Amino acid sequence: MDIWLISGMALLTFATRYLPFALAQQFVFASRWQSLSSYISIAMLSAITAKTTLVREQQLQPVLTNPLLPAALITLLCAVAGLPRGLSFMLGLLVFLLCR
Amino acid sequence: MYINPDNRRGLIDTAPLLLTIAPLAASFGVIGIAQGESPWPLLLCSIIVFAGSAQLLALGLLAASAPLWFILLTTLVINSRHLLYAFSLTTQIQPLSGRQRALLAFVLNDETYALVSQQPPGPGFNRYFLTSGLTVWACCGLATGLGIMLAQELTGQLSAELLGQLDIIMVLTFVSLVTPALKRCSHWLCATTAALSISLCWHWPLGSGLIFSALLAISVALLAERYRPATVAYNEADS
């Protein structure tokens, strides 16, 4: 890894993170934008979570023998039922350990 | 010692996620050393690039003798999801100075975004954001350093199976964070579309399936919001 590669990677990574923040000064965002931004976080985090849960060892495993799936589903149900975040997490972890 | 409540919250919320982050950062050090890279560039990369998946892929591409421009292009494509992250946070960071924004942009990462995207805007927002981001950043630097130092010993322990087991921390944290934010039908539709879409295109190159799934889910949710029945809109506005 030479210094040019590291510098280039650092610059590109920072640019993708900073550009929208820098542009924020130039615009006044409508309330519509806030609605859109809530969808961005839901969409990105749901996609990341689904991919991590369902793709194991480079294979799609949407089966209950994949211990991440029942654990994630239990956490989802607990969160929908309004249980505190920590409790939902712990119950999901318990299911994972039981199914593993 | 007094710690601001927002800093403390950021630290406490981020701490469990470090269990997922540290092994990945350590494995970057281990793999790098195993590939014959020098320790200092590896550590420097972890500290100033601070983009785990792009760093690991760069090592793979270096091993395959890929040209510099291709590695940089790959970095740009993989990190394009940060554009979406940062765009969604523009409302919250608007009152901050340029220097504060630059610092927050530098420490923005997947785990910190999952936490801060659920935080309301306000005076404590930047403290929470910065504490979470810096905690992850410090963890990455330290874990990479540890991975470099213990390269030989760690190689046997950091198996793919162990890393797979630690994914559970991230999955459960993200599920418990996102679910309370699903307040409307269009939110559920957005989450379901993203999950279904990534199930179909998870194997697309350079993480492009992730970006595609997110954009598709956002489009579907916006369409649903636009064309939802008037009675539903009335009830939601009423609640």
Side-chain angles (χ1 to χ4, degrees), chain A residues 17-94:
Chain A
R17 293 168 178 171
Y18 182 64
L19 201 63
F21 282 6
L23 292 174
Q25 194 88 41
Q26 317 295 322
F27 303 104
V28 175
F29 291 95
S31 59
R32 179 95 182 142
W33 174 256
Q34 290 182 14
S35 165
L36 176 64
S37 65
S38 75
Y39 289 131
I40 295 176
S41 65
I42 290 170
M44 285 303 294
L45 297 177
S46 300
I48 290 172
T49 307
K51 187 181 176 189
T52 313
T53 306
L54 299 174
V55 180
R56 314 300 304 161
E57 295 162 1
Q58 294 298 307
Q59 280 189 336
L60 190 66
Q61 296 186 16
V63 287
L64 289 176
T65 48
N66 166 9
L68 283 175
L69 186 57
L73 288 175
I74 288 295
T75 305
L76 177 74
L77 288 174
C78 291
V80 169
L83 295 186
R85 192 199 300 168
L87 186 58
S88 306
F89 179 94
M90 291 311 292
L91 287 172
L93 195 59
L94 185 68

Side-chain angles (χ1 to χ4, degrees), chain B residues 58-100:
Chain B
L59 278 182
L61 291 172
L62 276 174
S65 308
L68 181 74
W69 67 266
F70 187 74
I71 299 175
L72 292 178
L73 184 66
T74 306
T75 303
L76 187 64
V77 174
I78 287 180
N79 289 334
S80 57
R81 70 185 187 284
H82 293 145
L83 272 173
L84 289 177
Y85 291 171
F87 264 119
S88 78
L89 296 173
T90 46
T91 314
Q92 288 97 315
I93 58 96
Q94 217 163 17
L96 304 179
S97 69
R99 193 178 297 177
Q100 285 174 314

